[in-house]
Amino acid sequence: MATREYSFYPGCSSEKKTSASNYMVSVESMCKTLDVKLNEIPDWNCCGASIGYAEGGELPRTVMNARNLALAEEDSPGQDIVATCAACWLGTRESHERLGKDETLLNDTIESLKEAGINYEHKPEKNIRHMAEVLIEDIGYDEIGSHVSKPLEGVKIAGYVGCQTNRPFGIHGESYENPKYLDKLVETLGADPVEDYDQKVTCCGGALAFSEPEKSQNQIKKILESAYDFGAEMIVTPCPVCQMNVEVYQDQINKAHGTKFHIPVTYYSQLMTVAFGGNAKEAGLNGNIIKAKKLEEIAAK
Amino acid sequence: MSNTAMVKKYRNDFLREVEEKVEEGDWVRMCMQCGVCAGSCPLGDAWEHPPQEIFMMIRAGKREEVLGSDSMWMCTSCYNCIVRCPRELPITHIMHGLANYAHRLGLAPKANPTRRFAKIFWDNIATSGRVNELKLSLGLYFMDGFGNGIKKALAMKDVGLGLLKTGRLDPMGLFKAGGIKDKSGLQKALKKAREIEDTRKGY
């Protein structure tokens, strides 16, 4: 089997000792099994996230993403860029699209980046993709299934797709309102998808979990409640912000509302690593604040 | 003062001002007032004026009410309004653009927590090139002074400890430089970008 190779944009939350460092650990394990080679963009910078808009205007935000695009092309010419973070993916792809449409923006970006000694050349054919797209479109469920050595039998999992992995770009062939790829992936790994999970594309509040905690926690409460209502034992997500927001505020929500939420929130890559026979450490399970006991048990088998 | 300059330049043609100065502002006249955006927004209840109302207020020349509103600052960037809008207005981007414009003119509500957090966030990444999560959270907690900061930090203590114990927060983050290697290159590029944008927009 030929090695698949991509230019890789890991993003700020993937670094060691940051909020999604365990996501990265599991992505590395997953890619090892799938024979996917990730070429990290040298000296990549932040995408500006969405919340950067207030102070960073359109041009400064575009410049940040164009710097990464230029560094990626220089390091791994012609390769698709893959991001594991929803915001990184969105920011990079959005900037790339705008650079292709708006000549003034393109020229201003080129001029700005010259200050950093970077020569930006626009490559319209460059694809900026989310890891979920690589899994579904390039590798496919069948091949993923062929690596399953420890099926996640009997685990009921709610696929929480969230916002930015789903909108505005989405995964080819999936709807915005009811994307099914996480459910299909859960099924491929031998677990039971919670197909009635009606809050699968509800926003967790994103960055407003910091600045407007009450309003965001109302959102998170809905996302958790629905998972419980339909019998989920675990939530799975493709987004680092979704993962963090839905996991870490459960205690605060419990205190405010008298609820008893205590449900693990995992990444798809953690499920895959365990189903592929990896151990708990390789799946980054030590990074989950609410322990994914069922996964730990399967990993220890 | 840039705000006075804009008022003088556009008199009461606020729609034209938005079309020329606000990111994706030229879409505003395309809104057909269906309200799907308002019904689709996760924080819809928190908006004093939902997007379709903001669009109509722009057309009606209600400049101060729009730019001084905290409504746009309720946007979580979930893109639900964008994918549902029957006329395909990039509503999320217009809201970001309006918020940015109001902030740059000094008209945005001073106390709005998202405005302040967004500024701390941008300064954080524009300096070092990558997010420093500890500095970012502490910057937010302590923005209203030391006493308030301690209170907020204590309220978040358990969340922080959970992240710390699982290796998802760097306790030394305050003292580490971190970030990218070519900070100075990035800073220069961003400075240039700001200059160009300011000239183009007449700030």
Side-chain angles (χ1 to χ4, degrees):
Chain A
M1 187 177 60
T3 305
R4 292 184 179 91
E5 228 179 302
Y6 304 91
S7 182
F8 181 48
Y9 180 27
C12 299
S13 67
S14 73
E15 291 200 279
K16 284 205 172 72
K17 293 195 181 176
T18 61
S19 53
S21 50
N22 61 326
Y23 182 16
M24 201 53 232
V25 169
S26 59
V27 164
E28 278 167 9
S29 307
M30 171 190 90
C31 286
K32 212 168 144 189
T33 306
L34 296 172
D35 202 13
V36 167
K37 188 169 176 240
L38 299 175
N39 302 313
E40 183 171 337
I41 302 172
D43 210 34
W44 54 265
N45 56 255
C46 173
C47 66
S50 303
I51 197 71
Y53 68 80
E55 186 66 21
E58 183 182 18
L59 181 59
R61 291 192 333 264
T62 307
V63 164
M64 292 201 89
N65 287 307
R67 182 179 177 274
N68 290 332
L69 288 164
L71 294 173
E73 186 59 23
E74 194 189 326
D75 182 70
S76 311
Q79 285 178 13
D80 287 359
I81 296 178
V82 172
T84 33
C85 167
C88 294
W89 175 50
L90 196 163
T92 312
R93 184 162 161 185
E94 200 168 85
S95 290
H96 181 257
E97 282 187 3
R98 284 184 185 193
L99 284 165
K101 274 195 297 205
D102 183 339
E103 212 174 316
T104 310
L105 184 69
L106 176 62
N107 290 331
D108 290 350
T109 301
I110 292 171
E111 195 184 333
S112 304
L113 278 176
K114 276 191 189 138
E115 298 288 315
I118 288 172
N119 187 14
Y120 180 80
E121 208 181 313
H122 189 66
K123 303 267 176 193
E125 71 285 359
K126 192 104 184 152
N127 293 311
I128 295 100
R129 309 173 68 200
H130 190 278
M131 181 61 87
E133 290 181 293
V134 169
L135 294 176
I136 293 156
E137 293 165 6
D138 295 4
I139 299 175
Y141 300 106
D142 289 346
E143 191 180 326
I144 292 171
S146 73
H147 294 283
V148 174
S149 58
K150 284 184 186 168
L152 312 177
E153 269 164 9
V155 191
K156 284 194 86 174
I157 306 177
Y160 173 46
V161 180
C163 301
Q164 294 193 348
T165 332
N166 185 41
R167 299 183 296 260
F169 301 120
I171 307 287
H172 185 71
E174 294 278 0
S175 81
Y176 295 126
E177 308 292 346
N178 189 10
K180 294 185 171 140
Y181 66 89
L182 268 184
D183 295 339
K184 284 184 207 157
L185 189 66
V186 162
E187 207 168 12
T188 304
L189 302 175
D192 301 329
V194 177
E195 278 162 8
D196 296 329
Y197 185 39
D198 59 356
Q199 302 292 323
K200 60 161 72 169
V201 294
T202 298
C203 176
C204 69
L208 273 70
F210 282 103
S211 54
E212 298 276 6
E214 263 178 52
K215 296 182 183 85
S216 299
Q217 289 184 15
N218 282 339
Q219 291 296 112
I220 298 167
K221 185 167 170 274
K222 282 189 241 173
I223 294 160
L224 291 165
E225 242 161 23
S226 165
Y228 271 96
D229 285 349
F230 293 103
E233 297 163 281
M234 194 181 294
I235 294 172
V236 63
T237 175
C239 170
V241 180
C242 295
Q243 194 286 332
M244 163 136 169
N245 281 349
V246 177
E247 182 186 42
V248 307
Y249 298 112
Q250 291 187 29
D251 281 348
Q252 294 196 356
I253 294 169
N254 288 341
K255 264 179 214 154
H257 299 277
T259 45
K260 288 179 181 167
F261 296 127
H262 190 75
I263 186 165
V265 186
T266 58
Y267 293 108
Y268 62 89
S269 46
Q270 294 187 294
L271 301 184
M272 289 172 72
T273 302
V274 171
F276 292 167
N279 63 32
K281 201 178 161 209
E282 287 162 338
L285 293 179
N286 51 354
N288 291 68
I289 295 174
I290 299 173
K291 294 297 170 208
K293 290 208 179 91
K294 288 232 164 172
L295 286 186
E296 287 179 1
E297 282 164 20
I298 297 171
K301 262 199 267 183
Chain B
M1 232 345 252
S2 45
N3 182 37
T4 340
M6 299 301 179
V7 172
K8 215 171 140 192
K9 181 171 176 199
Y10 291 98
R11 298 186 176 263
N12 53 7
D13 196 346
F14 185 40
L15 175 61
R16 197 161 69 83
E17 180 178 353
V18 168
E19 285 175 333
E20 285 179 18
K21 299 287 177 188
V22 172
E23 194 175 324
E24 307 281 358
D26 52 349
W27 278 93
V28 168
R29 64 171 73 232
M30 286 299 286
C31 168
M32 62 183 197
Q33 294 292 302
C34 70
V36 166
C37 50
S40 303
C41 178
L43 261 57
D45 296 347
W47 292 59
E48 189 191 353
H49 308 294
Q52 95 277 7
E53 216 170 285
I54 294 270
F55 296 144
M56 192 47 102
M57 286 163 76
I58 292 172
R59 296 183 209 166
K62 295 191 176 293
R63 188 175 187 273
E64 274 168 50
E65 291 94 323
V66 169
L67 296 178
S69 168
D70 71 355
S71 291
M72 299 86 78
W73 299 95
M74 298 299 153
C75 172
T76 63
S77 312
C78 80
Y79 288 76
N80 213 8
C81 52
I82 284 199
V83 301
R84 285 185 182 171
C85 175
R87 285 202 160 172
E88 300 180 346
L89 270 77
I91 303 172
T92 312
H93 300 143
I94 306 170
M95 293 304 127
H96 291 177
L98 281 169
N100 173 276
Y101 187 60
H103 171 68
R104 288 303 305 275
L105 294 185
L107 299 176
K110 294 274 176 294
N112 180 274
T114 301
R115 185 189 72 81
R116 298 169 79 191
F117 178 65
K119 180 160 173 34
I120 296 172
F121 181 85
W122 181 262
D123 294 345
N124 188 308
I125 58 169
T127 315
S128 73
R130 288 183 193 172
V131 177
N132 179 315
E133 292 178 344
L134 186 61
K135 280 186 193 166
L136 181 65
S137 343
L138 291 179
L140 174 74
Y141 304 151
F142 284 88
M143 69 185 182
D144 291 316
F146 188 73
N148 260 319
I150 296 289
K151 221 165 98 185
K152 283 189 197 159
L154 278 176
M156 291 301 290
K157 180 183 63 143
D158 291 339
V159 172
L161 277 176
L163 289 167
L164 201 64
K165 277 189 214 158
T166 49
R168 287 164 61 186
L169 183 69
D170 187 353
M172 299 308 285
L174 271 189
F175 312 106
K176 269 193 201 157
I180 62 171
K181 285 192 208 105
D182 188 21
K183 292 187 184 63
S184 111
L186 177 71
Q187 286 164 6
K188 278 186 219 151
L190 290 177
K191 189 168 165 252
K192 184 77 187 173
R194 176 104 171 189
E195 278 167 21
I196 297 174
E197 195 163 82
D198 283 4
T199 312
R200 290 209 185 279
K201 295 214 168 172
Y203 286 134

